[in-house]
Amino acid sequence: MNNTKEKKKECHDDLLLRVGLNDNKAGMEGLDKEKINKIIMEATKGSRFYGNELKKEKQVNQRIKNMMQQKAEITIQQLRKAQLQVDRFVMELEQSRDLNNTIVHIDMDAFYAAVEMRDDPELKSKPIAVGSMSMLSTSNYHARRFGVRAAMPGFIAKRLCPQLIIVPPNFDKYRAVSKEVKEILAEYDPNFMAMSLDEAYLNITKHLRERQNWPEEKRRYFIKTGNSAENEKPREEDHILSEHELSVSPLLFEDSSPGLQAPEIPFQVNSEEQNNPLKLQHSVVFGTSAEEVVKEIRFRIEQKTTLTASAGIAPNTMLAKVCSDKNKPNGQYQILPNRQAVMDFIKDLPIRKISGIGKVTEKMLKALGVITCTELYQQRALLSLLFSETSWHYFLHISLGLGSTHLERTFSEISKAEEQYSLCQELCSELAQDLHKEGLKGRTVTIKLKNVNFEVKTRASTVSSVVSTAQEIFAIAKELLRTEIEADFPHPLRLRLMGVRISSFPSEEDKKHQQKSIIGFLQTKKQALAATGCTLETTDQDQCKKPLEMSQKKSFFDKKRSEMKWSHEDSFTCETVKKHDLHISPPFQVLKKMMHENMGTSGKSDNCQIFTCPVCFREQESVSLEAFNRHVDACLGGPSVSEAHASSRDVYKEENGHHSLSLCEKQDSETPQKHTEITSVDSEDLVETIDNTSKVESQGALQSPRSREGCCRLPSASFDSQHCHQNSSVSLEREDGGSSLQPSSHEMITGQALVCPVCNLEQKTSDLSLFNTHVDVCLNKGIIQEMRKDTVNQPKESSTSTGNSDKAQKTTTRAKRTGQITKYSRSKKIKPNNSRSTLDLFFQ
DNA sequence: GCGGATCAC
DNA sequence: TATGGTGATCCGC
């Protein structure tokens, strides 16, 4: 396909891309792209490095050649079959789409360089880079005009920009600044996930909810003036800000704003000093929207560190990350939490922008005509035949704009008793707050402990009168914890997760609050059991496994997530089962539309046009668009919905733990209630359940028998307002969604035997409205609820890495924390005299 | 299982 | 003069 000349050109381009040139936007003072490329080539050509680049290039080209050969051998039938399979998966993904979280990605602008510039005013107006003559970590925006980029060797950068100042990195300083930033971030999401010194993800969903009721004063911040950094901010940044940006909070970012031009205040103010009326005119109030929150975060970062940050706001991490790059530097961008907004954003997005798609993947996909996410979607069937399951699942996630919707943070082992008590107390306080909000009091306090070997123990104690305050709960929890600590003495408890739960709520209270609370809906099964005076015990599953154990089984995002941080707070992943809108649902409409779009555009593709009804999964060939739509509509209204679902039995790994109906159906008869442990809560009865890893897995398997990943999570005996608040209505569809508890959910859907998810009794009716009425009545009888607070141990800030890569620090410390470290290496470049110095330390 | 390739920072 | 260091995962062998 490519002649050699083209190949050479490609290689050349890739090399330039590698050193960050192709997208160079040379300014007037800088160099134009052509000149930059020329200088780089001159410096590169003939070097051993270049030779190796060429070699690697050939390998990739060979891979592509093999792939194209494979493609040529694919038959129409294979492709059709693949299309069916893939579209089934698409539908499951659509059903699992979760737009309820607000994820923020914060990225400090040219972080290392910015810190250096801040601390040495002489550098501010000059092109600088941090690193060495061998390699640069980052450059400031001035240097970037000359084509000087991160990952470029310093000596080449010097050729591009002779006046470039290369500053040796000072990681201690960057760490200190990073800590300041993280302190701010923690206020918005205590469980935020730091990816490196200059990058972090936050889930601000909970913060947003609470913020709605905040008085203005709580959202007021005082502008610290006399900050030279403000005034000397490069002018170029002004016009980079989006209109959106300026319209929201012009005070902050326009130099002409009254706030920043206010006369200098001889002393600095901050939020702790907001009572001084003199300073009111120099304050700014942020709104309650996500956008305003992120504005506020960036404002505070800038005030505290005099450094700017960019941010992305989106319903998942994948999108948030892309967003944060959109208005960089010192800007932000939001994708609104609706499917259309997501798809609009994704539409023309080059796949290379997505984290995880690197140079090679980009090139391979380009060979298949895939550059944008839309093209990625159009070629989904083909890709499923050419790539591994892991890969094409990942591609599909991307092309649908899906990503992780909850953050997980690293575990750090807690072995000290005092820390364990302290954590326990903290959890009790949080739990008490939640209880207070719901107006609940309970009699049973349960602690859950997971040790470093993933063994889970729960210990419960029931008292005669209800408790609700932090002190009361902690008094009980503390004793339970003490018993466990003493039982292992003199060995310390090596914990990786702790949870505190309260249950056994009096029925009056329950009745009073269940209507407004999501708990009632999420805990239908418990309610059913409540009548017998029992609580339901659930065990978390998939995330308990080590990354390697699950690596082959989990969805790409699961893997990605575990790659970043395999850890997790069980409380956040096991709590909720999302509402799934089955047959009446937008997903189908959406899918229909997507197929519509696909039909409209796939003509130019060399791929076969195969239209598969997203409902019945039958191929619809040679039909007009209208006819096809009619068919889909007919299917949507017909019983084949459940049929379609029932047939969807692929092992499907879904990242959020929000399983789809088809998963639930998979359980069928294999999912009796044995996966729940019914715990007697007689007074003073101490309950013990010890789950070892295999048991945990088997429980996960029960929920999803054909896969270990346990993506069907119980709508468990836990409460997390962060995830629950969106689910406020009660409907059959929702019960379907929560039907992982139901042995006969399939039947329920097909109308053959509707089983009430609350009372668990079969209802002899096929009339959905009648059935719904019954469910509603049952819900009103709900008796028991549970609330739970879990946490994982907090990660430690410290790091021992000596490299200039912050990621390396992170992963190293993560591995150490999790006890999973298998290899810890430090290497040195081989000197010309061949005195090798490589050190490999093996742990475990 | 191991090592090379890929990716990220 | 000179093109990093580190860790994780995937995949083929």
Side-chain angles (χ1 to χ4, degrees):
Chain A
M1 216 168 148
N2 293 328
N3 60 33
T4 46
K5 194 178 171 185
E6 275 175 324
K7 278 181 188 169
K8 270 186 184 171
K9 185 179 172 298
E10 274 179 3
C11 183
H12 178 236
D13 286 349
D14 280 347
L15 181 64
L16 295 175
L17 192 63
R18 225 188 86 81
V19 290
L21 281 183
N22 277 4
D23 56 344
N24 173 60
K25 297 182 186 73
M28 276 185 296
E29 314 99 309
L31 301 171
D32 63 43
K33 183 177 158 184
E34 226 170 89
K35 197 161 185 186
I36 290 168
N37 288 354
K38 189 166 166 255
I39 293 172
I40 290 176
M41 279 314 293
E42 280 168 4
T44 300
K45 224 180 277 177
S47 67
R48 290 171 191 275
F49 170 81
Y50 185 60
N52 189 246
E53 288 298 305
L54 287 177
K55 195 183 104 192
K56 288 194 286 185
E57 200 60 42
K58 276 186 184 170
Q59 285 176 1
V60 173
N61 286 337
Q62 185 59 48
R63 272 181 73 184
I64 291 173
K65 201 177 157 187
N66 295 343
M67 180 182 72
M68 298 308 277
Q69 176 65 37
Q70 214 181 324
K71 183 194 169 192
E73 291 165 10
I74 293 172
T75 64
I76 299 283
Q77 286 73 21
Q78 284 175 315
L79 202 57
R80 282 182 186 170
K81 198 179 161 201
Q83 190 80 38
L84 288 171
Q85 192 193 1
V86 172
D87 282 346
R88 251 177 245 153
F89 188 48
V90 165
M91 189 155 66
E92 290 177 356
L93 289 179
E94 274 300 342
Q95 284 172 15
S96 70
R97 187 187 290 273
D98 178 4
L99 296 164
N100 296 322
N101 285 276
T102 307
I103 307 292
V104 176
H105 182 248
I106 300 278
D107 195 346
M108 298 296 292
D109 299 324
F111 185 52
Y112 299 166
V115 173
E116 298 301 335
M117 285 162 71
R118 179 191 72 168
D119 295 349
D120 183 357
E122 291 204 353
L123 297 176
K124 280 180 183 169
S125 56
K126 298 171 182 168
I128 73 157
V130 176
S132 69
M133 282 299 258
S134 296
M135 187 52 60
L136 302 179
S137 293
T138 188
S139 58
N140 67 0
Y141 284 87
H142 196 58
R144 290 182 197 184
R145 294 200 188 95
F146 295 86
V148 175
R149 295 298 181 92
M152 174 184 279
F155 72 93
I156 289 181
K158 275 281 194 184
R159 291 199 199 182
L160 287 167
C161 177
Q163 67 271 39
L164 179 75
I165 297 171
I166 298 179
V167 184
N170 185 346
F171 287 101
D172 288 338
K173 198 156 74 175
Y174 310 146
R175 261 190 291 274
V177 181
S178 181
K179 189 164 173 274
E180 289 187 298
V181 174
K182 287 170 184 171
E183 281 166 8
I184 294 171
L185 301 185
E187 290 185 37
Y188 298 86
D189 177 10
N191 297 313
F192 78 92
M193 185 165 70
M195 302 304 293
S196 63
L197 289 181
D198 70 331
E199 251 185 67
Y201 289 98
L202 288 81
N203 186 335
I204 61 165
T205 315
K206 194 176 176 189
H207 170 86
L208 273 172
R209 192 166 53 249
E210 289 167 359
R211 189 184 177 93
Q212 301 311 307
N213 304 318
W214 283 13
E216 203 174 282
E217 283 313 300
K218 215 170 168 182
R219 293 179 271 116
R220 182 186 300 281
Y221 284 88
F222 294 86
I223 296 167
K224 184 170 76 178
T225 55
N227 179 351
S228 56
E230 282 293 333
N231 302 328
E232 293 175 32
K233 208 159 49 178
R235 297 293 309 175
E236 63 164 341
E237 293 184 10
D238 293 337
H239 59 79
I240 289 172
L241 299 174
S242 64
E243 284 179 27
H244 198 41
E245 171 100 34
L246 293 170
S247 67
V248 174
S249 193
L251 264 189
L252 301 180
F253 304 107
E254 282 184 339
D255 285 356
S256 60
S257 75
L260 294 180
Q261 288 194 336
E264 286 201 8
I265 298 176
F267 45 89
Q268 295 182 345
V269 294
N270 57 35
S271 56
E272 276 76 47
E273 298 175 80
Q274 34 181 286
N275 289 332
N276 189 337
L278 289 175
K279 296 166 198 153
L280 280 181
Q281 58 185 311
H282 305 300
S283 68
V284 57
V285 175
F286 293 89
T288 55
S289 67
E291 190 158 26
E292 286 288 303
V293 170
V294 174
K295 280 264 174 252
E296 183 180 294
I297 292 172
R298 291 174 48 232
F299 169 76
R300 292 181 64 189
I301 289 173
E302 187 172 354
Q303 292 279 298
K304 194 169 182 179
T305 67
T306 73
L307 302 173
T308 63
S310 297
I313 312 163
N316 63 55
T317 55
M318 188 271 280
L319 293 171
K321 168 99 174 150
V322 180
C323 285
S324 69
D325 201 45
K326 187 109 174 162
N327 283 325
K328 194 175 252 294
N330 198 12
Q332 64 186 63
Y333 186 87
Q334 178 176 22
I335 298 176
L336 293 171
N338 65 74
R339 191 188 177 278
Q340 194 55 50
V342 169
M343 297 315 283
D344 286 348
F345 182 84
I346 282 292
K347 193 167 161 276
D348 298 320
L349 186 71
I351 50 167
R352 184 66 166 90
K353 292 276 183 188
I354 283 124
S355 179
I357 302 287
K359 192 186 75 168
V360 174
T361 311
E362 177 192 32
K363 191 170 177 179
M364 293 191 72
L365 289 174
K366 193 179 175 185
L368 297 169
V370 173
I371 292 169
T372 67
C373 292
T374 299
E375 290 156 349
L376 193 66
Y377 180 76
Q378 289 167 354
Q379 298 293 344
R380 61 196 182 282
L382 179 63
L383 295 175
S384 75
L385 294 171
L386 294 175
F387 289 83
S388 68
E389 187 185 71
T390 309
S391 296
W392 73 258
H393 279 197
Y394 174 53
F395 294 154
L396 215 48
H397 273 91
I398 291 171
S399 64
L400 293 170
L402 299 169
S404 294
T405 55
H406 59 273
L407 307 181
E408 293 157 358
R409 61 182 310 174
T410 314
F411 293 109
S412 61
E413 179 185 324
I414 289 188
S415 307
K416 290 182 184 167
E418 58 267 40
E419 289 178 18
Q420 291 167 349
Y421 284 121
S422 160
L423 178 62
C424 183
Q425 189 162 28
E426 200 179 309
L427 290 167
C428 291
S429 299
E430 289 180 31
L431 184 57
Q433 280 176 21
D434 288 344
L435 280 172
H436 181 70
K437 280 179 198 161
E438 293 292 329
L440 291 169
K441 296 181 175 189
R443 287 171 53 236
T444 301
V445 174
T446 307
I447 63 166
K448 173 180 171 174
L449 305 173
K450 187 189 285 181
N451 67 18
V452 291
N453 297 320
F454 299 91
E455 291 162 346
V456 178
K457 293 179 184 177
T458 58
R459 297 289 185 272
S461 179
T462 302
V463 291
S464 49
S465 56
V466 291
V467 294
S468 63
T469 68
Q471 290 79 8
E472 290 166 341
I473 300 167
F474 182 57
I476 299 165
K478 187 175 64 183
E479 288 311 307
L480 294 171
L481 180 58
R482 187 200 307 279
T483 306
E484 290 313 297
I485 290 173
E486 286 172 356
D488 276 20
F489 190 82
H491 303 292
L493 279 187
R494 300 180 60 193
L495 299 181
R496 49 184 303 116
L497 178 141
M498 185 185 295
V500 180
R501 171 187 307 178
I502 190 154
S503 54
S504 298
F505 302 121
S507 56
E508 305 81 44
E509 283 295 302
D510 191 51
K511 272 185 183 174
K512 203 158 86 187
H513 294 284
Q514 69 172 355
Q515 286 302 319
K516 64 165 183 159
S517 168
I518 189 57
I519 305 174
F521 134 58
L522 278 175
Q523 312 212 349
T524 52
K525 182 66 176 187
K526 260 193 310 298
Q527 288 166 346
L529 288 167
T532 64
C534 296
T535 58
L536 182 74
E537 200 70 38
T538 69
T539 305
D540 315 310
Q541 336 70 24
D542 61 341
Q543 300 289 347
C544 304
K545 288 192 283 294
K546 304 170 188 179
L548 286 174
E549 286 174 329
M550 61 185 184
S551 66
Q552 300 298 322
K553 301 277 187 171
K554 299 189 71 66
S555 78
F556 199 96
F557 275 109
D558 271 326
K559 279 177 261 183
K560 276 284 153 192
R561 204 172 54 210
S562 61
E563 172 187 327
M564 296 190 296
K565 294 205 171 224
W566 80 276
S567 69
H568 117 300
E569 297 149 314
D570 298 38
S571 58
F572 288 161
T573 50
C574 69
E575 270 104 351
T576 55
V577 173
K578 289 290 168 191
K579 176 173 174 175
H580 295 295
D581 299 309
L582 301 185
H583 47 293
I584 53 154
S585 70
F588 285 94
Q589 301 295 339
V590 146
L591 201 70
K592 206 169 79 171
K593 184 167 184 299
M594 277 167 21
M595 301 200 64
H596 182 118
E597 287 162 1
N598 195 22
M599 291 170 77
T601 52
S602 61
K604 62 187 173 193
S605 150
D606 60 349
N607 194 11
C608 277
Q609 285 191 28
I610 299 170
F611 307 126
T612 309
C613 171
V615 184
C616 71
F617 289 114
R618 293 189 187 100
E619 287 176 40
Q620 303 298 311
E621 293 184 70
S622 307
V623 291
S624 70
L625 191 58
E626 290 72 22
F628 178 71
N629 273 336
R630 274 198 301 277
H631 167 84
V632 175
D633 284 337
C635 271
L636 286 170
S640 53
V641 170
S642 52
E643 185 189 319
H645 277 80
S647 70
S648 176
R649 295 194 173 254
D650 299 304
V651 176
Y652 153 51
K653 290 142 278 186
E654 192 272 331
E655 79 209 69
N656 299 322
H658 305 139
H659 57 82
S660 61
L661 170 63
S662 52
L663 274 179
C664 306
E665 289 165 353
K666 275 187 278 189
Q667 301 163 29
D668 288 341
S669 58
E670 301 157 54
T671 316
Q673 294 150 27
K674 64 186 176 188
H675 63 283
T676 65
E677 304 204 7
I678 297 175
T679 302
S680 162
V681 288
D682 287 340
S683 186
E684 317 235 318
D685 189 12
L686 194 64
V687 179
E688 175 169 336
T689 55
I690 300 178
D691 304 298
N692 58 25
T693 305
S694 62
K695 186 172 175 187
V696 167
E697 284 179 12
S698 72
Q699 286 178 333
L702 280 169
Q703 292 161 30
S704 183
R706 304 211 9 222
S707 65
R708 292 199 313 167
E709 51 277 20
C711 36
C712 280
R713 291 192 178 81
L714 300 175
S716 71
S718 52
F719 171 73
D720 175 20
S721 55
Q722 180 170 347
H723 291 21
C724 299
H725 72 289
Q726 298 285 347
N727 305 301
S728 55
S729 65
V730 172
S731 70
L732 179 59
E733 286 73 33
R734 185 198 55 231
E735 299 305 340
D736 292 340
S739 64
S740 59
L741 290 170
Q742 289 299 328
S744 43
S745 58
H746 183 199
E747 287 79 2
M748 193 167 86
I749 296 148
T750 55
Q752 293 162 7
L754 295 166
V755 178
C756 171
V758 182
C759 70
N760 212 22
L761 296 174
E762 199 172 301
Q763 301 302 305
K764 304 264 184 245
T765 174
S766 58
D767 184 328
L768 287 187
S769 61
L770 276 178
F771 179 73
N772 264 338
T773 307
H774 166 83
V775 173
D776 283 340
V777 170
C778 264
L779 280 170
N780 285 329
K781 291 181 194 158
I783 295 167
I784 196 162
Q785 297 175 338
E786 271 193 1
M787 298 184 84
R788 189 177 86 182
K789 272 281 176 187
D790 283 1
T791 189
V792 293
N793 306 334
Q794 302 297 305
K796 295 185 181 103
E797 275 300 325
S798 65
S799 166
T800 55
S801 171
T802 54
N804 69 350
S805 160
D806 188 46
K807 170 100 177 265
Q809 289 172 15
K810 187 198 65 180
T811 48
T812 302
T813 50
R814 170 184 66 235
K816 279 182 179 171
R817 280 186 212 120
T818 53
Q820 295 306 307
I821 195 160
T822 54
K823 186 176 171 182
Y824 182 92
S825 64
R826 285 281 174 272
S827 60
K828 268 191 172 179
K829 228 163 55 175
I830 299 173
K831 303 273 185 193
N833 65 7
N834 275 346
S835 61
R836 188 183 176 108
S837 165
T838 302
L839 176 65
D840 285 338
L841 300 172
F842 293 88
F843 291 80
Q844 276 199 328

